[in-house]
Structure formats: C-alpha cells, structure tokens
C-alpha cells in the first residue's frame, strides 16, 4: 500500500499523554497501599499475640508454640464469630479472599469500592488470620489496596477505565508490600485484573508496583522472603520431572477448587444465617490446629521449611491434608482471608512428599516447582506464579523449570475445569467472565475485505414517485440503495424512512432524488479503513448501511453494513471451527483405519 493511503492517525496503541497524570496519581496510591499493607501485617501479628498469648505485642509468633492446650480450639471460633458479625452488620463484601470481589467490582461495578470495605476488610482479615485462620494476607491486602486506589480515584475527575487502573495499581502495590514481588504483582494485574493489555493501564500499575518495592526496601522489609539457591540441570530427564510436577500441581489445583466449592455448597444447605457459618469453619480450623499446629495462620515458616528440604514425607503429607481441609472449610464458610500463601504451602508440601520419587535435585527444588504449579494452576495465572516464585526466592536459575511446571498445571486445569477458584464465585452470582484476550477482528479487517462490490444503485434522476414504486416492488431484497449521479458520485442513500420524510415535508412527487439530496451531508466509508472506525460511522449515521467511496475519485466502489461486520467476526470463529473439524475428521479417519 502506498504511503498516501495510510491513515497517519492510527498507531500501535491508542494511549494519550493523560496516562502521565494517572501514573502520577498511581504514585500516591502506591504509597497509601504500602502503609496499608504494613498496617495489615502488624495488625495480624497483634491479633495473633492477643488471641494466643494475651499480650499486646507486634512480635512474630509461631502458633505451634502456644500453651492453650485444648482451649485453643475455641480461638478460631471466636475470631470467626467476630468476622461473621462484621460481615452481616458492616459489609458482606469482606467475605471470602478478596480477589473475586475485586474482579467483580472492575467488571460490573465501574471499579467503585465502598470505604467500608477499605476499613473492614483488613480488620476482619487480621482477626481471621490472627485467630488461626489458615489464610495468607495477600488476598485481603489486594482488596484493601484496590479499595484505596478506587477511593482516591472516586475523589478525582477520572474515567471509569482510569478508576479501574488506579484500583488495580493499589492492588499491585499491596501485593508488592506483602511479598516484595513487583514483577509478579504486575503480571497478576495483567492476567487477572486489568482485562486489557494497553500502555494506559500497564504503565500506572507498573509505577505503583515499583514505588511500593522502593518503599518497602527503604523501610528495610526483607527481600527475598524465602531465599533459595538451588539450581536445576537442563535435561530431558529434568523436563519429564518438571512436567510431572506440573500435572500433579494441576490435579491438586482441581481438587482444591472442587473441595472449596463443595464446602460452600454444604454451608448453603444449612438452615441458619450465613453469619454463623464462619463459626463452624472456625471449629474445624481449631480441631485441625490440634492435629497439626503448623497448618494454622499464614504459615510462612512452612514455606521456608519445605524450601530448605526439611519436610519429611509424613510431616509433609500431614501438613498437606490438614491445611487443605481446614482451608477449604474455612474459605467455604465465607470468612475473610487470602489464598496465595495456602496454595504455596499445600503445593510445597505435595512437592516435598513427591521429591523421593523424582530425579535427584537440590533440596527444596521440587517443592518450589510444586508451589508455583499449584498457584498457577489454581489461579489460572501461570506467568504470575512463575515470576512470583523467582522473586520470592531471589533465584532466576530455576526460571525454565518453573515456567514448564506452571504451563503444564495451567493446561491441566483449563482442560479439566471451566472456571478457576477465582471466577467460579463470580459465575455463581450469575456473571460470566472471559479470560482470553485477543486482538479484535474489527481492528485487523478493512472495509474492502467485507464490502459488497456488486452494488445495485438508483439514478439521481429518479423521481420521488418512481422511488416509492422502486422500493415497494415485491422483488426488492433490501430497503436501501445508494443514489449516484451520471459520473458515479454518491449523493446519498434512498430508503423508506427518507421517502416518508420527504412526503411528510410536502415534496413534489416529480422532484428528482438528486434535487432532494442536494446539499445534504452524507457519511461514507473508505475501502481502506478498518471496521473499528466503520462501526463508529454506522452509529453516528444511525444507518444499517453505508456507501463505500474511492477517496481519490469519489466514486462508488461498494456497499457495507452491520451484517458485514458480524460476518467478519464470525469468520474468525469459523476458522477455529474448521481447524477443530479438521482435527476431528483426522481422528475419525484414524479410528476407522485402525478398526479395519
């Protein structure tokens, strides 16, 4: 195509300079989310010490060291009762692990979160986790950081999309604060929260994550959280092990997801108000804590232990089973808490248990791969899980095994489950979310590829009387036709509404269409423009069809309408069906040949 036929207004991206302002606001959001995350971590430690030691302290406590005995069973029950009361009389949006609620707010609520959520979510989560709840702090801080971003955006004159960007920026800053994983936080935003891949959203989110990481480093927060120095030999045998761990992680992901929602379905059948459900979940947590105290709380010490290779088979299996049961029951009961840390713990325990049957590797290597695979498979976010594990351990040498395991786990869960643990909850509320992002066919297809070239036209010399007879003839298959003059230039479109308008206006029946259309503005399509702009023109013209005019000569070359746009979209789907049909036919031919 010659240079003079290229629309210079088009570019790779549509981002405007206003993104700089949103990025500047994202800095403020990141700072607020940073201190919000620090406050939440401190509040969890305070609640833990108050609940198990009766002391007002922000020091770290190992829940396995408490001296409460059998009475420790009541601690999660009391904590869950408080959370249930807060949810019923405060806001029911604090229930659950936070990420589905953030997605729902983005997709359905114009990215507007209530101030009560910003206040009650971290408090309820701190109480739940501090009283032994088997959750992580990342889900609540993602929701809290998102609430901070949303509240700041609601106070400013920004668009819905910009509010979404600032909400996600707060969520990314919150995740970075807890784990020190800015790249993984950005990837989480891209894979789960933004629902687009554009500089206008990516840049502010990246700015927020970077600022949060700089802030936590300045405050001397530890990074990486779980140093791991193991290496992996790149070999075919190693690849087989990576894939095996990926399959195991995917299957564990499927099992955990089904277990959580089976528990939720069980609670829905109870003849009591949902406010009391967390108490039942808390009782199960308390009993599980008696069996294995390490299953309680955030359990970051468990992650460190399995990465160090210190978990033997019996201990790893006990931790996996107890943690899975109390986590699924508590989460299904609707209490407040996160899922990232539990997934890492359960995946790591599985990896430690399987390591004896896998190729020899550095201690903790298979546990690390299983952690990432379980997280990536359960959340359907393989890139997030990969970079999260690299940043969490500070070890980029295991990047290839990690992506192999995470991609495998992702494939397993996609093939076995319609929805993830995050989107299932939203689907149960009657909303469907598509997580496949593709370039819109409208942005790739030109008008010339879909227009009708053999166009039936009417002459500008046709009278109004003749136009009425022409349009009402039984053989007419469509109601509108371009009006052209002797040189082939388009003067407008004639259709029943325009004819009726002229008749009501008292136009004489012998007046020519050329005279009736003289001086009227007509919207036309360019054969080289893309369907994106054509759709806008159709809406602007409030028309079902537009004439396609050669820009150099001004003559009619085609006719295009909304059905042509739909056919362009159907063409892409048809190509997918054709490929599937071809594969199916090949399989059927193979089966037939085998039987013969």
């Amino acid at each position: 195509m010659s240079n003079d036929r290229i629309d210079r207004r088009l570019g790779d991206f549509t981002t405007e300079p206003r993104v700089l302002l949103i990025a500047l606001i994202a800095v403020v959001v990141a700072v607020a989310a940073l201190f919000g995350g620090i406050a939440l971590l401190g509040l969890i430690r305070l609640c833990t010490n108050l609940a198990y030691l009766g002391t007002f302290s922000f020091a770290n406590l190992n829940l396995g060291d408490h001296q409460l005995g059998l009475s420790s069973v009541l601690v999660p029950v009391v904590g869950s009762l408080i959370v249930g009361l807060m949810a019923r009389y405060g806001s029911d949006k604090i229930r659950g692990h936070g990420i589905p609620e953030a997605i729902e707010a983005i997709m359905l609520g114009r990215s507007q979160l209530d101030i009560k959520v910003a206040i009650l979510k971290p408090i309820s989560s701190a109480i739940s986790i501090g009283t032994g709840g088997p959750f992580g702090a990342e889900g609540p801080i993602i929701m809290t950081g998102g609430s901070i971003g949303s509240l700041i955006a609601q106070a400013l004159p920004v668009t819905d999309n910009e509010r979404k960007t600032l909400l996600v920026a707060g969520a990314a800053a919150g995740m970075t604060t807890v784990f020190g994983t800015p790249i993984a936080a950005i990837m989480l935003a891209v894979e789960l929260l933004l629902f687009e891949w554009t500089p206008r959203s990516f840049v502010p989110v990246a700015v927020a994550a970077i600022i949060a990481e700089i802030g936590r480093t300045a405050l001397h927060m530890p990074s990486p959280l779980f140093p791991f120095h193991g290496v992996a030999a790149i070999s075919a045998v190693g690849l087989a092990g990576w894939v095996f761990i990926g399959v195991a992680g995917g299957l564990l992901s499927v099992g955990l997801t089904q277990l959580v929602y089976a528990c939720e379905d069980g609670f829905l059948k109870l003849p009591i108000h949902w406010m009391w459900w967390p108490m039942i979940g808390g009782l199960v947590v308390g009993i599980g804590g008696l069996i294995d105290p390490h299953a309680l709380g955030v359990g970051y010490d468990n992650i460190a232990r399995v990465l160090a290779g210190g978990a033997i088979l019996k201990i790893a299996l006990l931790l996996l089973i107890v943690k899975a049961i109390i986590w699924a029951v508590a989460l299904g009961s609707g209490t407040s808490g996160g899922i990232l840390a539990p997934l890492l713990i359960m995946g790591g325990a599985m990896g430690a248990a399987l390591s004896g049957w896998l190729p020899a590797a550095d201690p903790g290597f298979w546990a690390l791969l299983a952690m990432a695979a379980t997280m990536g498979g359960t959340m359907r976010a393989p890139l997030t899980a990969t970079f999260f594990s690299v940043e969490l351990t500070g070890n980029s040498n295991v990047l290839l095994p990690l992506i192999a395991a995470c991609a495998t786990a992702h494939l397993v869960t996609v093939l076995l489950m319609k929805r993830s643990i995050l989107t299932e909850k939203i689907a149960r509320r009657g909303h469907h979310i598509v997580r496949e992002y593709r370039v819109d066919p409208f942005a790739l297809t030109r008008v010339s590829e879909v227009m009708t070239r053999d166009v039936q036209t009417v002459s500008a010399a046709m009278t109004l009387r003749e136009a009425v007879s022409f349009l009402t003839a039984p053989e007419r298959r469509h109601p509108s036709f371009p009006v052209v003059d002797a040189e082939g230039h388009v003067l407008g479109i004639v259709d029943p509404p325009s004819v009726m308008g002229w008749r009501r206006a008292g136009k004489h029946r012998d007046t020519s269409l050329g005279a009736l259309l003289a001086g009227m503005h007509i919207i036309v399509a360019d054969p080289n423009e893309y369907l994106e702009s054509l759709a806008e023109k159709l809406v602007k013209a409030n028309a079902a069809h537009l004439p396609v005019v050669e820009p150099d000569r001004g003559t009619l070359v085609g006719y295009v309408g909304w059905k042509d746009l739909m056919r362009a979209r159907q063409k892409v789907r048809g190509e997918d069906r054709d490929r599937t049909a071809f594969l199916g036919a090949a399989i059927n031919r193979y089966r037939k040949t085998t039987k013969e």
Side-chain angles (χ1 to χ4, degrees):
M1 181 181 294
S2 60
N3 290 337
D4 59 341
R5 302 292 292 277
I6 299 174
D7 190 339
R8 296 297 177 181
R9 297 169 298 176
L10 300 178
D12 293 342
F13 299 101
T14 58
T15 302
E16 298 177 351
R18 185 176 169 83
V19 68
L20 299 174
L21 173 62
I22 303 304
L24 186 61
I25 300 172
V27 174
V28 179
V29 171
V31 173
L34 171 67
F35 286 104
I38 293 172
L40 174 60
L41 295 175
L43 194 58
I44 292 173
R45 292 193 295 269
L46 175 62
C47 290
T48 303
N49 286 303
L50 286 173
Y52 285 93
L53 294 181
T55 60
F56 190 94
S57 171
F58 292 95
N60 279 314
L61 168 68
N62 187 338
L63 290 178
D65 296 335
H66 70 78
Q67 304 297 321
L68 294 180
L70 292 176
S71 61
S72 64
V73 173
L74 299 177
V75 176
V77 177
V78 174
S80 299
L81 173 61
I82 297 173
V83 173
L85 290 169
M86 292 175 67
R88 181 172 184 178
Y89 298 106
S91 173
D92 62 354
K93 294 186 183 299
I94 68 172
R95 304 176 70 213
H97 49 88
I99 299 180
E101 288 71 24
I103 295 174
E104 194 170 27
I106 291 168
M107 295 297 296
L108 307 169
R110 299 179 60 195
S111 302
Q112 294 178 341
L113 293 174
D114 195 343
I115 189 171
K116 289 194 297 184
V117 176
I119 297 173
L120 295 179
K121 185 65 178 181
I123 296 175
S124 63
S125 299
I127 294 173
S128 175
I129 299 170
T131 54
F135 306 112
E138 64 293 323
I141 190 52
I142 285 174
M143 188 66 168
T144 302
S147 299
I148 292 171
S150 176
L151 291 173
I152 291 176
Q154 289 177 55
L156 299 171
V158 298
T159 66
D160 287 354
N161 183 78
E162 290 167 344
R163 189 183 308 113
K164 174 194 71 175
T165 298
L166 292 173
L167 184 158
V168 178
M175 180 176 173
T176 300
T177 300
V178 174
F179 288 112
T181 54
I183 298 176
I186 296 169
M187 293 310 306
L188 180 76
V190 172
E191 290 191 293
L192 286 179
L193 300 175
L194 285 175
F195 293 94
E196 65 175 80
W197 176 233
T198 61
R200 68 175 182 176
S201 56
F202 168 75
V203 171
V205 170
V207 167
I210 293 167
I211 293 298
E213 177 63 17
I214 292 174
R216 75 186 304 277
T217 302
L219 294 172
H220 304 292
M221 298 177 70
S223 185
L225 284 185
F226 306 106
F228 176 76
H229 304 292
V231 295
I234 308 300
S235 65
V237 174
L239 174 60
W242 309 341
V243 172
F244 176 81
I245 281 291
V247 172
L251 295 175
L252 179 61
S253 299
V254 173
L256 292 174
T257 301
Q258 293 179 342
L259 182 60
V260 166
Y261 286 103
C263 292
E264 184 174 294
D265 291 338
F267 279 105
L268 287 170
K269 296 177 182 178
L270 295 179
I272 56 176
H273 193 277
W274 56 258
M275 180 189 77
W276 305 107
W277 297 352
M279 286 185 64
I280 301 174
L283 179 61
V284 175
V285 171
I287 295 173
L290 289 179
I291 299 173
D292 187 358
H294 294 292
L296 299 177
V298 291
Y300 290 162
D301 56 322
N302 294 315
I303 298 176
R305 185 182 304 111
V306 296
L307 287 178
I312 61 176
L313 177 61
K314 182 178 179 180
I315 294 176
L317 287 176
L318 181 65
L319 176 62
L320 172 60
I321 295 170
V322 174
K323 187 78 173 183
I325 293 174
I326 65 175
W327 173 73
V329 173
L331 201 60
S333 71
T335 193
S336 184
I339 66 171
L340 263 68
L343 290 176
L344 295 178
I345 293 169
M346 291 182 284
M350 180 194 70
L354 292 175
S355 60
W357 290 276
L358 290 167
D362 290 341
F365 172 76
W366 296 115
L368 175 61
L369 259 61
M371 283 183 188
T374 304
M375 175 184 167
T378 307
M379 298 179 66
R380 301 274 181 88
L383 296 179
T384 298
T386 298
F387 288 109
F388 183 80
S389 301
V390 169
E391 291 182 289
L392 205 62
T393 59
N395 188 347
S396 60
N397 294 321
V398 292
L399 186 58
L400 184 63
L402 283 171
I403 191 62
C406 290
T408 303
H410 181 61
L411 178 62
V412 169
T413 58
V414 166
L415 294 177
L416 295 182
M417 292 192 303
K418 290 183 179 296
R419 290 176 288 270
S420 73
I421 195 172
L422 306 177
T423 56
E424 176 66 26
K425 183 176 289 293
I426 299 172
R428 289 178 174 222
R429 294 170 182 167
H431 308 294
H432 174 59
I433 291 179
V434 176
R435 289 182 55 193
E436 292 183 340
Y437 309 134
R438 308 173 183 176
V439 178
D440 192 335
F442 287 5
L444 300 175
T445 309
R446 296 180 185 274
V447 170
S448 59
E449 298 176 44
V450 300
M451 69 182 186
T452 300
R453 296 180 181 274
D454 185 13
V455 186
Q456 184 177 4
T457 63
V458 297
S459 171
M462 179 182 285
T463 65
L464 182 56
R465 184 198 308 270
E466 293 170 336
V468 172
S469 300
F470 177 80
L471 291 174
T472 57
E475 64 270 16
R476 296 290 165 257
R477 296 184 179 275
H478 54 89
S480 64
F481 297 86
V483 180
V484 297
D485 60 15
E487 289 76 30
H489 298 120
V490 180
L491 302 182
I493 292 177
V494 62
D495 54 18
S498 61
V499 168
M500 293 296 295
W502 289 324
R503 293 285 297 271
R504 285 194 296 267
K507 300 297 183 181
H508 196 276
R509 295 184 178 184
D510 292 327
T511 306
S512 68
L513 296 180
L516 292 170
L517 293 169
M520 294 183 63
H521 174 68
I522 177 174
I523 298 177
V524 299
D526 185 320
N528 297 304
E529 71 178 316
Y530 291 94
L531 298 188
E532 273 186 332
S533 59
L534 173 65
E536 295 176 2
K537 286 183 176 181
L538 286 168
V539 173
K540 183 179 179 180
N542 191 25
H545 295 83
L546 288 180
V548 183
V549 174
E550 178 61 47
D552 295 334
R553 299 187 298 272
T555 54
L556 181 73
V557 294
Y559 206 42
V560 67
W562 65 268
K563 287 187 177 180
D564 299 309
L565 283 121
M566 295 303 101
R567 276 194 288 267
R569 191 177 295 278
Q570 288 297 325
K571 179 182 178 183
V572 175
R573 296 179 180 177
E575 290 172 351
D576 288 338
R577 286 195 298 268
D578 291 343
R579 284 193 292 268
T580 304
F582 174 77
L583 180 60
I587 293 174
N588 289 334
R589 285 196 300 269
Y590 172 77
R591 289 175 176 173
K592 184 178 179 180
T593 303
T594 303
K595 288 180 180 180
E596 292 175 351

